[in-house]
Amino acid sequence: MKPALIISAGTCGLARGAGEIVKAAQDYQSKRRLQQKFDIIITGCHGFCEAETNVVVHVDGKQIFYQKLRPENVKDVIEKTLLREEIINNFLWSDPKTQQVYVYIDDIPFYRKQKRILLGNNLHVKPECIEDYVKLGGYSALNKALKEYQPKRVINLIKESGLRGRGGAGFPTGKKWELCRKMKSSVKYIVCNADEGDPGAYMDRSLLEGNPHSVIEGMIIGAYAIGAREGIIYVRNEYPLAVKNIEIAIKQARKRGLLGENILGSKFSFDITIVRGAGAFVCGEETALLISIEGRVGRPRPRPPYPVEKGLWGKPTNINNVETWANIPAIILRGAQWFSSIGTEGSKGTKIFSLVGKINNTGLVEVPMGITLREIIYDIGGGIPAGKKFKAVQTGGPSGGCIPSELLDLPIDYESLTEAGSMMGSGGMIVMDEDTCMVDVARYFLNFTQQESCGKCPPCRLGTKDMVQILNRISRGEGREGDIELLENIGGNVKRGSLCGLGQTAPHPVLTTIKYFRDEYLAHIKEQRCPALVCTALISYVIDPELCGGCTICAKNCPSNAISGEPKKVYAIDQAKCIKCGICVSVCPDKFRAVKKVSPALT
Amino acid sequence: MKNIDTNLENYHYRKTNIIQILQDIQSEHNYLPEKILKYVSERLKMPLSTIYSIATFYAAFSLNPRGKHLCTVCMGTACHVRGAAAILNEFERKLDIKAGETTGDMNYSLETVNCLGCCAIGPIVVYDGKYMGEFKLKDVAAVLKEKE
Amino acid sequence: MIELMIDGKKVTAQKGETVLKVAQRYNIYIPTLCYHKDLSPYGGCRLCIVEVEGWPLPVASCTLPAQEGLKVKTDTPLLKDLRRFTLQLILSEHPHACLICDRKEDCAHYMECIQKAPITFGCKFCPSNNDCELQTLVDYLEIKDIPFDFHYRSLMVERYDPFFERDYNLCILCGRCVRMCQEVRGAATLDFHHRGPDTLVGTAFRLPHLETGCQFCGACVDVCPTGALRERYGKWQAKSEKSVRATCALCNIGCSINLNIDSEGKLVSSTPDNNQICVRGRFGIVPMVYHARRLTRPLMKKDNRLVEVEWEEALSYVASKLDEHRGKTGLLFGSHMTIEALESLYRLADDLRCSIAAPLDIDGKGEPLKLEEFKDESVFLVVNTDMIRDFSPLLLMLRMQSKIQSTIIVIDSLENKFTNMADLWLQPKPGKEFETVSLLFGRGKKRNTTGISHETLERCKDILKKRNVYVLYNPAHSRRIDVPKSVRTLPLYSSINTLKICELGTDGSVDDILKKKTIDCLYAIGVLPRLQKGYKTVIVQNCFPPPFEFDVFLPTVTFVETRGSVINIEGKVKKVRRAIDPVGKSKPDDWIFQRMSEILKYDIKRRRPRQRKKKLSRVFEDMGTSKKYPVNLLVRENCYMYQGHPLSSLMKGFQRLRDDTALWISVDVAKKLRIKDNMHVRVISRNINLELHARVSDNLPENSVLIYNHPFLGVDQNQAVRIECITKETR
């Protein structure tokens, strides 16, 4: 392979300025006429978002990892590393804790501890280039399935592999396919659920942006096994780049005869269309998703009948999530045994988590099932930044719960997370430190589900609203005796009484935070104190006279003129005027850091 | 209305494509004008109440015109734990509107989004299509000033 | 056959039957709220949840298909808890003082309360108090308190539409009205909007119903389990104590209705009887029966003044006059009365040698419309008739009867709700409707002057080719339609009993009689003709006063105050019932005829009535606009009439629904003549010269005006006219 500059340019890379890096590299290359010397490969997300904008310099078979580049650094990278194989130490990633510097991508702990079956290829394929995917063995699984296996054999393979749905609930994929295959109907559909609504999860986006063909190949194989002629990818409209890349990928696949009539010369025909969502979390629920595809308001309907019996347009429909579909080609190629050798007894293969929040190495991590939370957070994630203390990790998005430090050694799989009161969900993993208030987190999630509730059934529409009201008053310091019990009572009933998965899981964030952090609730209710100094009504801002340098910046920036004092002397905040916007903390120079928060609030 | 006809034609006048049709109208006009919805209702022979129901259910649609500049604050979980709420408050205070509203001079619209999937670099603000990661409270004033 | 267990009882179910339906069949009670037998299951209210052995969570029984071997429990402590929780939540959003008050039982009997609560929380002001499904459920679930904070939506009560009001503060979002409006009525006026805690029911953009596709059928009101949707008339009346199953005689469909009566024998409302009815039957009957302008005592002119008299005096006078004008009496009658009354009337007319006529276009054969004949995949070609407005229950029955793939094609130069809803709408130039039909069947002249493109006609012909075609038309504004034998033509007569009158025949048209010089005495029964000359005696028999002078007025009853039978468009004989006593001193028509014959010493039951003309073929002329008469006048029958009075002249709601006493003017004509709404204009043609108030409408084709005809206007067909603007007065 020619030397190459591999630029990570997913949405978050672009947000950090990957576009400018690409432009700088291209300009330099064309100005110096270096097209023959090296390639510029623009790929999807490499997963290590913390290091964005990062590039991988591929030279002499080695892959050097540079992080946080600026456009002006590109020239150096090309001249020194790409052309002369010199390492530039400044751009290398160093462990924030040990200060150890790493040169090659595979040595970096963030990558080393992962098992990147699905994400690994993001580094090697240009998303808009089907050839790249084919070069890496893409579509050979499809070829194998069509030429060598009967549909039933494909289903058995998936069943044997032990693959379970990656969308959250973990239904065995092979079993679902089999149910759908057995339905008597001349028309069947398969659907790829790419309505990744969980705030804090973005692995589906990354897969669709970075390696759309893996999802498409998985869908074609699935359609072959189930006997569907039409497939639909339902994707969030908030992911414009993903939409664009799948559109291109579908066109290319059609051109190559991988989609359309008589795929690869077989009798099997199949095609895929894209449907864009319109901003409704509940449409990630399968019945709502199907209703939304039909052009109606996505209010879930009770199951049974399940979509495999009566789905899109009343026909049997198999729905799987992006990550599930992306697993299929690998299972076909490498075999069920290989796949089931990874993971735990009940949960096989790998799972992608988005490791975000208060953590050093934020990014997408793909790990074998059964790994412990500690390994993910400390070994891969590099622990908590700024020397703060780990408090909890929230998994499963609004449907999941908060897991405290006592459970850090929990091996992760579907069952263990459910037992802990949380769930796998789509794989969001939000790390929280001592500065995170658990009442506030619970309130945040409940507020989210409340607004995203479709409004059809009273337990979800009104139960979550009541819970939000109670949490609101607790965070205002107006909590009442018995509020915790009331929350538990409402929560339990909403879980049991709601129509769809949204309501049935909505109370999890509250119930788990009460379970593991009851003290914090009590501090809010009984002492009007927010231990994490987050709940605005329960804190006050004060200027530490010991630290204040009298620089006047806070007073100048204060929108309510609450800060007074004389230059070069100590300033003070008038609590009566303070609106607690926090600007003073944000502008106080690092050399002073004089503005502090205290709780309970001063009167 | 000519554009609308082309739009409808692209979707073969199928009622089932209504969400996609509305998305195209929304991206062209930045909101869904009542007049156009009535026209679509007539052309597709689709009840206006159904279209209105869809337009108010899905968060991507707005029935009110939006301002010249669109400022979207991501309220995803990762952004939240990193202080997105304070940033939103600051925008609300500075612009004197609530999220989902537009300033009286039609210059700014302030919106929230559930998650943009850029969680690693939160909190995120998207200003007129430009993603800004690791947004700080003090950046609010700077961003608004720059655009004035 | 599927076998399953419900509460330990072995039950059997049909394939596709839901667990709820099976349970109901076996008399196992499961509380429901969003469920309604006429609507598709929704699964939203979560009250009908049941536990199934082996399933992790309770499921809604209304959507759960019965499956072999299912073990269902309908009443466990968990279910009771959850149901109570759910209903308490619902009530946290629904003013509930009336539901959990410890004095509610006393209140139900005496409606007395000095507490502040009723005013604040509305228990006294909920029109559904004691007639509310929530109250039943609260009792069943033994709810005594609501542990959640009460949330009032603070919405304005929507009072701006006729007939019913909407207080969405009381709405519990069960969606029954939405499903009724969409699935059953096909009107889709109501839908849910917004989501989550902001979810509400309403029209698009919260428009008044008058500006939407609302048919004001009231079906939404009738399925509402709370007081959110309420009929305005009689809102504060006592609860109905009994219902009388009767027939609505306001049009020729003759829908079955329930007449609901309170403990004092007063009619409270008229509601559908397991069927669909229209605005006339739902909201038109009660206010008409108790109308302030209704005359309920006989009147006679004495010394040029009208005075109230006793029946005997009035009848003796009328009998003497009829006797005196034997052979010189013109008897005009409407079809509103019972068949029995009609037959008495004919005998009376025979005896007195009256010339009789009804304002109907009768056609001897009088073909009934047999719904059961319609086959699947039929095409209904409807000419010049707004079936949604005039025949909506019939339209729903047609759809139901030929559910599979039936197509509705409308030929009409006017735009209306029906043309908008039709699968295909052909809009010919005014007056070219029949030419369009001929062209479709390859008949008549070859040249196409309809204004419809050749392609559209061909497309339409393709649809007609392979299927059973039925042509539906209203004989009041259509000539006999020229079609091949294989195509059935079905007249849509709008008035009840038309088939009976077709069978009995008449002595000519109303116009024939009015023009007859020999007639000295006019006897108008439930019809208001446009008088063209003076008479020695004018006798009026009606519920409401006529717009012309008369000598005697005989007050009759409406069809809810008498018994007898009527015959409808399908040829079915249906019963009208005496649900209430006649209002005031009014009497049924047949009683009047009976008494009269007694006074005349004539045995009314003696013999069969004599033979009369069974066919009245009106000559329809082409419009032919000219320089002198440049505008097309379109004439449509006003099917919203009772005893010669347009319902719009009796009830404001109907007037707001459609001002059918106006001259409707197309936008271009209005612009040219600078006519605005409510100005007074004169319509002049060779035959007519009328003064009317104007209404501008963009539903009319270019260069045209429209009149909804009734006998008093006397404009029976399309013609070329001239419009003159008289005043700029507003009404």
Side-chain angles (χ1 to χ4, degrees), chain C residues 518-708:
Chain C
T518 53
I519 286 181
D520 291 336
C521 170
L522 191 73
Y523 186 8
I525 306 164
V527 62
L528 304 175
R530 190 175 180 82
L531 305 190
Q532 297 172 11
K533 57 170 261 210
Y535 296 95
K536 284 181 181 158
T537 311
V538 175
I539 305 154
V540 173
Q541 186 169 318
N542 208 311
C543 289
F544 302 97
F548 48 77
E549 287 205 18
F550 54 86
D551 300 292
V552 190
F553 183 88
L554 305 176
T556 73
V557 297
T558 64
F559 57 88
V560 301
E561 302 153 71
T562 182
R563 54 176 75 83
S565 41
V566 291
I567 182 165
N568 75 353
I569 194 164
E570 299 170 84
K572 287 186 185 153
V573 176
K574 306 190 82 173
K575 295 281 173 217
V576 295
R577 293 261 154 72
R578 186 174 148 145
I580 54 168
D581 291 336
V583 176
K585 288 191 171 168
S586 58
K587 294 284 181 193
D589 295 278
D590 40 357
W591 181 89
I592 298 170
F593 301 139
Q594 178 74 35
R595 266 313 285 148
M596 206 109 73
S597 60
E598 281 165 25
I599 293 167
L600 289 165
K601 304 227 169 30
Y602 167 75
D603 183 4
I604 204 161
K605 287 185 183 137
R606 209 176 44 198
R607 43 176 182 167
R608 296 181 59 78
R610 85 177 152 84
Q611 290 290 311
R612 290 186 163 82
K613 274 189 220 165
K614 300 249 167 106
K615 189 156 183 168
L616 286 177
S617 39
R618 198 188 325 164
V619 184
F620 280 90
E621 287 163 19
D622 276 335
M623 280 218 251
T625 50
S626 60
K627 241 184 185 165
K628 196 172 175 194
Y629 303 112
V631 179
N632 295 307
L633 168 66
L634 303 170
V635 177
R636 291 297 158 87
E637 186 190 13
N638 186 352
C639 300
Y640 282 43
M641 303 279 292
Y642 188 66
Q643 299 209 8
H645 298 269
L647 297 184
S648 63
S649 70
L650 299 172
M651 289 166 274
K652 210 177 156 201
F654 284 93
Q655 207 217 329
R656 294 191 61 204
L657 207 55
R658 182 183 67 184
D659 187 356
D660 46 25
T661 54
L663 178 76
W664 289 83
I665 300 179
S666 68
V667 178
D668 61 311
V669 172
K671 210 169 165 190
K672 207 155 87 192
L673 300 175
R674 294 191 188 159
I675 298 170
K676 296 225 165 66
D677 274 353
N678 291 331
M679 280 185 181
H680 279 224
V681 290
R682 192 172 284 285
V683 197
I684 303 157
S685 78
R686 262 176 300 220
N687 310 315
I688 58 169
N689 187 334
L690 290 173
E691 196 187 313
L692 294 163
H693 66 277
R695 286 269 176 170
V696 183
S697 163
D698 53 8
N699 288 342
L700 294 184
E702 268 182 30
N703 194 37
S704 60
V705 295
L706 166 73
I707 279 179
Y708 293 99

Side-chain angles (χ1 to χ4, degrees), chain C residues 506-530:
Chain C
T506 63
D507 298 320
S509 71
V510 170
D511 214 40
D512 290 342
I513 292 191
L514 291 174
K515 285 201 169 110
K516 227 172 179 173
K517 293 217 171 76
T518 53
I519 286 181
D520 291 336
C521 170
L522 191 73
Y523 186 8
I525 306 164
V527 62
L528 304 175
R530 190 175 180 82

Side-chain angles (χ1 to χ4, degrees), chain A residues 457-578:
Chain A
C457 75
C460 176
R461 180 181 78 238
L462 298 166
T464 57
K465 188 167 125 180
D466 274 322
M467 290 171 84
V468 169
Q469 277 169 0
I470 297 168
L471 289 165
N472 278 343
R473 72 176 178 237
I474 293 177
S475 72
R476 279 197 310 265
E478 296 160 12
R480 302 168 199 164
E481 192 104 354
D483 270 355
I484 296 179
E485 291 70 26
L486 192 55
L487 281 173
E488 284 173 328
N489 178 29
I490 301 178
N493 283 332
V494 169
K495 264 177 82 165
R496 285 185 291 264
S498 291
L499 193 162
C500 81
L502 190 145
Q504 286 159 6
T505 58
H508 283 161
V510 181
L511 297 178
T512 54
T513 48
I514 291 178
K515 184 171 167 192
Y516 298 119
F517 302 94
R518 203 180 187 97
D519 286 352
E520 238 174 274
Y521 278 85
L522 288 172
H524 281 75
I525 296 171
K526 295 204 165 147
E527 303 165 36
Q528 281 76 46
R529 184 171 63 85
C530 175
L533 303 172
V534 171
C535 297
T536 320
L538 303 186
I539 58 165
S540 289
Y541 289 87
V542 289
I543 295 173
D544 188 337
E546 303 282 310
L547 298 174
C548 181
C551 68
T552 77
I553 292 177
C554 57
K556 275 183 196 151
N557 279 286
C558 179
S560 62
N561 293 324
I563 307 178
S564 55
E566 278 171 51
K568 304 269 161 80
K569 284 185 187 161
V570 171
Y571 277 70
I573 300 176
D574 179 351
Q575 296 300 331
K577 283 188 184 169
C578 178

Side-chain angles (χ1 to χ4, degrees), chain A residues 377-416:
Chain A
I377 291 165
Y378 287 97
D379 297 350
I380 297 174
I384 315 297
K388 299 267 181 178
K389 228 175 94 199
F390 170 85
K391 188 179 214 171
V393 57
Q394 207 279 349
T395 69
S399 316
C402 291
I403 297 171
S405 55
E406 301 95 273
L407 296 176
L408 269 179
D409 290 312
L410 190 77
I412 300 171
D413 65 16
Y414 290 100
E415 279 70 28
S416 67

